[in-house]
Amino acid sequence: MAEVVLKDIRKEFGTFVALERLNVAINAGEFVALLGPSGCGKSTTLRMLAGLDFPTAGEISIDGRVVNDVAPGKRDIAMVFQSYALYPHMTVAQNIAYPLKKRGVARPERDAAVAKTATLLQLEPLLNRKPRQLSGGQQQRVALGRALVREPKVFLLDEPLSNLDAKLRSYMRAELIELHRRIGKTMVYVTHDQLEAMTMADRIAVMHDGRLQQFDEPEIIYNQPANRFVAGFIGTPSMNQLEGAIAGSSFVINGEQVPINRALYEQALKDGPVVLGIRPENVSLSGGSLPATVRLVENAGHEQIVTVEIPGGHRLLAREASGQRPSVGQTCQIGFDADFIHLFQPGENGSRFETTGQAHVIPMQAQRSASDES
Amino acid sequence: MATAAHAGHRLERRYARLGVFLIAPTIVVFSLVIVYPLLAAIYLSFFSVYTPTLEGEFTGADNYIRLLTNAAFWNSLITTLIWTVGTLSLQIVFGVGMALLLHQNLWFRSLARSLVLFPYFVSTVVAVLVWRWLFNDLYGAINHGLMQLGIMDMPLDWLGTMPNAMIGVILVGAWKYFPFVVIAVLARLQTIPEHLYEAAKIDGAGPIARFFDVTLPQLRSVLVVIILLRAIWDFKEFDLIYLLTGGGPVTSTQTLSLLVYQEAFALNEMGQAAAYSIGMMLVMLVFMLVYIRRTAREA
């Protein structure tokens, strides 16, 4: 087990700045997801950890040792590639044994290690096959096996599940969680899939435009997003964001007032422009004060996503339990659950106003049941 | 249902007929330029034919008996094999080496990639004339250069003595045809996924291990095809050797193609020449069968 520290990392490709002032400290044995849209710098970060790319400035250390000038093969890391990168001319057994062979491990020990890994990943019946004779999920497991076999300090996984179909992906997700629990090694996992990050990671580093946006536990990322980007990126459908202003103790949009929990925010707020964020599950279609018209109803079976339009042309999403189905064109008075209202600084990626006093943490379980009840 | 199946069947037959119609021109041309000359050569090989008049008499298997019993064919076959193996090995070694070099990020890469094709594109006659001048024993640039450098103190007769003549022919052949290997290998190199190299780096493989464990296995299939194709082409190479040494000194570089030519047009023995060429074809058939089996397996 080893901790991984990225200190003041900067990475330039020519004139393009891919990463700026990146500071991440990963604890030993932790499962960390690097999450962000494509081009956010998450893969570059992982490649620098692996030693396949080099930071323009800053310091990378693994287990207390600065590894900026250490070759990939000597960093004691293993990586699983999105494309698996299995050696096509070698059998499954040879693929798994390769990293040991290159480190001069003797044949009997190699065979024993391969057998052990194969048992762990249920690869025994496939050991003599070539990669092209395997399904995507099997190739994935071989790639994992090649990473596991020499028991490295740190595992790096670059979107390892994105080439699998939806069913297999959720299966492998569970397998990986189980695997991490069993071997307890530090894992850094790059993904653009928030569901993977939320379900698997101990902590998530949300990245955008080469900058770290937030690095925290999934629940905190979900319930206390650091800024508008994180709020919009995490959650499906994403958080509604309304640009308006604070006047007195209310949020005002197009002359309509939305009551907010003044007690929670009074320290942080002055009158002035602000962005209100509310997740679809905290929007109710009745009993509120904001007039709205139903524009679209998407039924997903267990729930429905309702698009409503409020005066001024803003559209909002509301997540409703299935059952009574609103009809398109119907008018209603929508309301927001005041406990779940977030306020952000105006501007493209405004920060969230931190609340003072009582922490605004709602356990996800409570939140889920709250949304189910609505 | 039944009618639909019937209609489908009819459609299938119509497609089959269309297929025959479409390949018919190829079959006709193929028959005219390949099958007919082949049959004519087999026919001629049973006669003793005087080339200028193409008149002759049936001699049965005499030409083949002479082929088997005289040393000429076997000596030429050995010469041909030495030439083929020698020049092909150099083509592969230099071709793969140059392809690896041109695959690197060099600043003059695109220029070099075009320049390397030059020997392949230049006409054999022109190339050979230049090489003959370079090899010339009296005023050749190679002798001059080597003597200036102090490597030799006497000029060397490059194309007039053995084994120099064979070495010279092999070198010129390698120079002329290695670009073919470069193009094919370079094209393959560019399709090797970068991730394989990265995975190998992480697995602890150094540059040499990466060449043998990633590059070479990936090049295998293309190398097999190149080696077989070039072996077939080098085996029947004529103009380059004919122009450079004419088969000499005496018959030291007389490959089978040159032997056939000499028999047909210098000794005017068209029947014997036809028998030699049939013998040559049978040897080539071995290469061809290997090639066909290989490509069938790759597919």
Side-chain angles (χ1 to χ4, degrees), chain B residues 2-13:
Chain B
T3 40
H6 187 68
H9 197 69
R10 239 179 25 209
L11 198 60
E12 220 167 78
R13 262 205 315 239

Side-chain angles (χ1 to χ4, degrees), chain B residues 80-93:
Chain B
T80 310
L81 290 176
I82 292 171
W83 141 258
T84 304
V85 171
T87 196
L88 183 55
S89 315
L90 291 182
Q91 285 168 28
I92 297 295
V93 171

